[in-house]
Amino acid sequence: MTASARWVGLRLAGAVLTVFGVAVVVFLILRVIPGDTITASMGIESGTLTDAQRAALEHYYGLDKPLLVQFFSWLGQVLSGNMGVSLISGKSAASLIWAALPVTVELAVLAAIIGTAAGVLLGMLAASGPGKLRDGTAQSAALVGLAIPEFVLGAVVVAVLAQVFGYFPDTGTFVPLTTSVSGNLSQMLYPALVLSVGFAANVMRTTRSAAVEVADADFVRTARGKGVGSARIRLRHILRNASVPIVTITGIQFGYLLGGTVIIEQIFALPGLGRLLFTSITNRDYALVQSSVLVIAAGFVLVNLIVDLAYRAIDPRTRAA
Amino acid sequence: MTTRSRRYRGLAALTAAVTALALAACSPAGSQGTGTSTSGGSASASGSSGSASGASTSGSGSASTSGSGSASGSGSASASGSGSAASGSSTPAAPTGTIVVARTADIDKLDPHVSTAFTTVATLGLVYEALVRTDDSGKLVGSLATKWTVADDGKTITFDLRQGVKWQDGDPFTSADVKASLERILDEKTGAVARSNLTMITSVDAPDDSTIVLHLSAPNAAIFYALAGVNGAIVHDKDITAGTVGKTPDGTGPFAWGSWEQGQQVTLKANPDYWGGAPKVAQVEFRVIPSESSILSGMKAGAFQVGLLTDPSVAAQANGANGFKLVKQASMSYHTLMLNGRHKPLDNLKVRQAIACAVDRQQVIDTASFGDGEVTGPITSPGYQYSPTDGLPCKPGDIDGAKKLLSESGVKTPITLKTIVMSDNYATAVGEAQNLQAQLKAIGVNLDIQQLPTSPYVKAWLDADFDAAVARNGGSSDPYSMYGRYFTTDGSLKGPAGLTSKTLNDLLIKGNSTDDETVRQATYKQLQEELLKESPWVWLFAEYDYYLVSDKLSGFTARADESLIHLADASLSS
């Protein structure tokens, strides 16, 4: 128990360090790339500013303070919960991020559910007859799914829906799931489906190879010899023992989705974290970029932590380590 | 057995759930598609008051160009103003329907005086008004001022303000608002965009509620253009005192501020008290759809009534679509290859001329812009159009002529030019750079292309850290506003302009110091020829803006300055 607690404690400390490291790196990169909030918002018009105007704007944006002061005042605001103030909108970064986060998390969760379900089903199907037609078909489908970039698939889906069905996903104000399930899904289902294709392909390939490997194990032959039904063998014996790599790939991909929905959010006009990050980078909205990346990094670290904990639940052998 | 049946039940439940999701996702779609486009606006109502407002602009237009002694002009303006109000009240049908406008970018701020982004300027331009504005042909007409008089020495301008105009909160508009607004623009701390063009204002007087007097340090004709538009917007003095400018827009324009959900949409509501007659739709919604091909798809599905595009390759796919039309509007923004005449060997006139001659402009348009665009000279102001190439020593695309100039220059070829290109801001940039590279190779000029994202590009551009720059610059209805900043000796952008010339400076000052239209036309024609002769830059083409306009929307027309003011004249049919 204490060993377990120490393990969790160590992982948490590592997680906090990782997130802090990300914060420092992002802060520095933002300051190193040329151009600042003023040139980003005014473009070439910033050349017409007088020195006094520029100084006034730099003061307004807080760009006149030393870097260390900028960094720690932002960090202080992060710890106090408002995560700094967006230079462009004047709202707190926290309020903007909390508004965008549910969109991205829901998108990632939906894509992960669809992708995992489809991937595991197809993977088990393929593994049930290695080398047979269904295996080849499922593997080729997965290859195609991996090869098509999201932006192509997303654009094609949008174009086909519009051209053939006269349908365009609702782009009005984002409808949370708690307000209206159908309204929410009319905005989220198609982007989630597009995202789930690549997700499913990865899960399918991992499931297949893990299941094929486990299917050759002695205990499976023993179970079969004892007369256990083939469905039970697949679920309880093969899938259960193949689940560690499946959980790993699902976790990694889910973490990736938290920060990787930018393109899909652009195509489907969803106000998620990816788009918030994209526009805030374009605007050099420093506090907002830093805090968004921080939240994405924290999410990624958290998912990894959960995956590690899941190993211990799934596979008793890892608890010893 | 039990396991097997449980497994199948699970599968069945999954299938049912997926089907339900798909149905749930599709069913509101149909109702939403028709829901946004229903409206009860009647076509006849839009026609009559549309023409009335047209009369009002031409009436005050005559007032503006004559400058002084324009009592009759202002009379006709006020008469037609009340006329359009009357026609508005004689058709009592309440405005209904929502125009949904899809565009790729969101607005970035709410303070009109510091706005530069096209989306922000176009949106706030429906809410705020200035003393004067430009009409569709680029001519100055009255807006919150009905007429103005320039004193004989050109140093005092008196504006008569429109009566009976109300702010959104019901307060009357007075000269105090104008004085406070102009002083806010002139205050360095505001960081106002228009300030650098208005520094000649020494003081602003408000002798009574309906008169404003500007005192200038020197005569200046471009001042009216600097006062026009969103950057010269008149804001409510109460908002300035309360510090709420830039938080909640409060204007006098045809639309009242509704709401802004950042990154998603801006909603404007019809202003029923608008002095020019209330809009014929209840509201306008600007949706942010970051992908242009998604905008096109949304138009095909009837989800939007107006879609704004800039990418010629996407616009090309809109040809022949049903339910909406593609409108190509020539813009005042122009594409150019800027040369840095302070770097060797570009300080040599013949080298610059050789480069300017070697480039076949139409070929750039055809390869980089799908043939969309118009070959242009320096001045893109609609009121000041001259031959795009008169003044060049040879015809564009004349390789032999260019080679001859280059050999006369005494400069050894090949020449290599560090050329900066904005890689992420507009669709045609890299294509233009590559075509220019190919064309100029023929005369022994190598473009060393450096693709930069917007912010680094802007920095290099402002620091004049380039030999050549592929650029897309904004235009203006006024030639001085376009080039005064680049080619006068104290121009704020003389660094990136790359060339100082006394002749150019004098022509610009001369054109700007008079409002005599004959002198202005002759001077700016000379300016254009001098710019082409000096070839500080190679002017390529004026681009198109693309508007996808639903067949259900009538009365909306696009403008060269990208203003969306005609949304106020548009009506929807079901």
Side-chain angles (χ1 to χ4, degrees), chain B residues 36-43 45-46 49 91 93-101 126 253-256 267-274 277-286 305-306 552-556 564-574:
Chain B
T36 50
S37 52
T38 47
S39 83
S42 91
S46 85
S49 77
T91 48
T96 49
T98 298
I99 302 177
V100 182
V101 182
L126 295 172
F255 288 94
T267 308
L268 305 180
K269 300 190 179 314
N271 173 5
D273 300 327
Y274 183 54
K280 287 165 231 30
V281 291
Q283 61 178 27
V284 174
E285 263 179 42
F286 292 97
Q305 281 73 55
V306 180
K552 290 175 179 165
L553 190 71
S554 51
F556 173 75
L564 296 174
I565 193 67
H566 290 303
L567 286 173
D569 308 323
S571 60
L572 284 166
S573 63
S574 45

Side-chain angles (χ1 to χ4, degrees), chain B residues 58-64 66-80 146-147:
Chain B
S58 66
S60 51
S62 72
S64 74
S66 58
S68 56
S70 54
S72 68
S74 78
S76 81
S78 69
S80 69
T146 51
K147 75 162 222 189

Side-chain angles (χ1 to χ4, degrees), chain B residues 530-545:
Chain B
E530 183 68 18
L531 279 169
L532 287 164
K533 195 194 102 199
E534 281 287 337
S535 295
W537 310 346
V538 186
W539 282 270
L540 302 170
F541 64 97
E543 67 182 18
Y544 289 142
D545 292 320

Side-chain angles (χ1 to χ4, degrees), chain B residues 219-222 509-517 519-520 523-524:
Chain B
N220 189 305
I509 303 279
K510 184 179 168 201
N512 193 41
S513 56
T514 176
D515 56 5
D516 181 334
E517 205 44 44
V519 179
R520 280 166 65 86
T523 312
Y524 288 138

Side-chain angles (χ1 to χ4, degrees), chain B residues 33-318:
Chain B
T34 53
T36 50
S37 52
T38 47
S39 83
S42 91
S44 66
S46 85
S48 67
S49 77
S51 65
S53 74
S56 127
T57 55
S58 66
S60 51
S62 72
S64 74
T65 43
S66 58
S68 56
S70 54
S72 68
S74 78
S76 81
S78 69
S80 69
S82 63
S84 81
S87 82
S89 60
S90 71
T91 48
T96 49
T98 298
I99 302 177
V100 182
V101 182
R103 58 187 179 189
T104 54
D106 196 10
I107 58 173
D108 62 345
K109 51 188 69 136
L110 300 178
D111 184 337
H113 294 157
V114 299
S115 299
T116 49
F118 274 124
T119 47
T120 312
V121 168
T123 308
L124 293 179
L126 295 172
V127 177
Y128 284 107
E129 293 179 298
L131 287 174
V132 293
R133 62 188 186 87
T134 50
D135 68 8
D136 294 359
S137 61
K139 250 196 314 201
L140 278 170
V141 294
S143 183
L144 285 175
T146 51
K147 75 162 222 189
W148 51 92
T149 326
V150 182
D152 287 343
D153 65 355
K155 288 177 160 185
T156 310
I157 307 171
T158 307
F159 289 94
D160 289 359
L161 303 184
R162 196 173 291 278
Q163 301 290 295
V165 176
K166 281 183 189 158
W167 295 100
Q168 274 184 35
D169 65 359
D171 284 0
F173 155 78
T174 69
S175 58
D177 299 312
V178 179
K179 182 171 159 66
S181 300
L182 294 181
E183 283 170 354
R184 182 174 190 266
I185 293 171
L186 292 172
D187 184 353
E188 267 194 324
K189 287 205 272 300
T190 310
V193 181
R195 185 184 173 278
S196 57
N197 294 324
L198 293 174
T199 42
M200 76 299 278
I201 299 178
T202 51
S203 65
V204 182
D205 287 341
D208 61 58
D209 270 2
S210 59
T211 310
I212 274 288
V213 181
L214 301 186
H215 299 283
L216 311 183
S217 55
N220 189 305
I223 186 170
F224 295 106
Y225 294 96
L227 288 171
V230 163
N231 291 145
I234 303 304
V235 300
H236 200 164
D237 62 344
K238 203 169 80 178
D239 295 338
I240 299 177
T241 322
T244 54
V245 179
K247 302 215 165 74
T248 315
D250 168 19
T252 57
F255 288 94
W257 187 249
S259 60
W260 179 24
E261 285 160 79
Q262 217 175 339
Q264 300 184 58
Q265 62 181 27
V266 174
T267 308
L268 305 180
K269 300 190 179 314
N271 173 5
D273 300 327
Y274 183 54
W275 57 265
K280 287 165 231 30
V281 291
Q283 61 178 27
V284 174
E285 263 179 42
F286 292 97
R287 297 263 176 86
V288 183
I289 311 294
S291 144
E292 292 204 357
S293 58
S294 291
I295 292 180
L296 179 62
S297 295
M299 288 299 301
K300 285 180 179 165
F304 315 126
Q305 281 73 55
V306 180
L308 308 182
L309 304 178
T310 55
D311 187 340
S313 68
V314 178
Q317 300 167 36

Side-chain angles (χ1 to χ4, degrees), chain B residues 412-465:
Chain B
K412 267 204 301 233
T413 52
I415 300 166
T416 298
L417 302 177
K418 175 187 164 186
T419 306
I420 58 171
V421 184
M422 212 189 269
S423 58
D424 60 350
N425 190 271
Y426 56 102
T428 53
V430 176
E432 287 170 41
Q434 286 166 347
N435 181 255
L436 288 167
Q437 188 180 44
Q439 292 203 44
L440 289 174
K441 210 173 170 68
I443 59 162
V445 173
N446 297 323
L447 299 188
D448 171 20
I449 296 176
Q450 306 197 349
Q451 295 186 29
L452 299 173
T454 306
S455 241
Y457 174 94
V458 166
K459 187 169 188 314
W461 190 89
L462 287 174
D463 295 345
D465 181 16

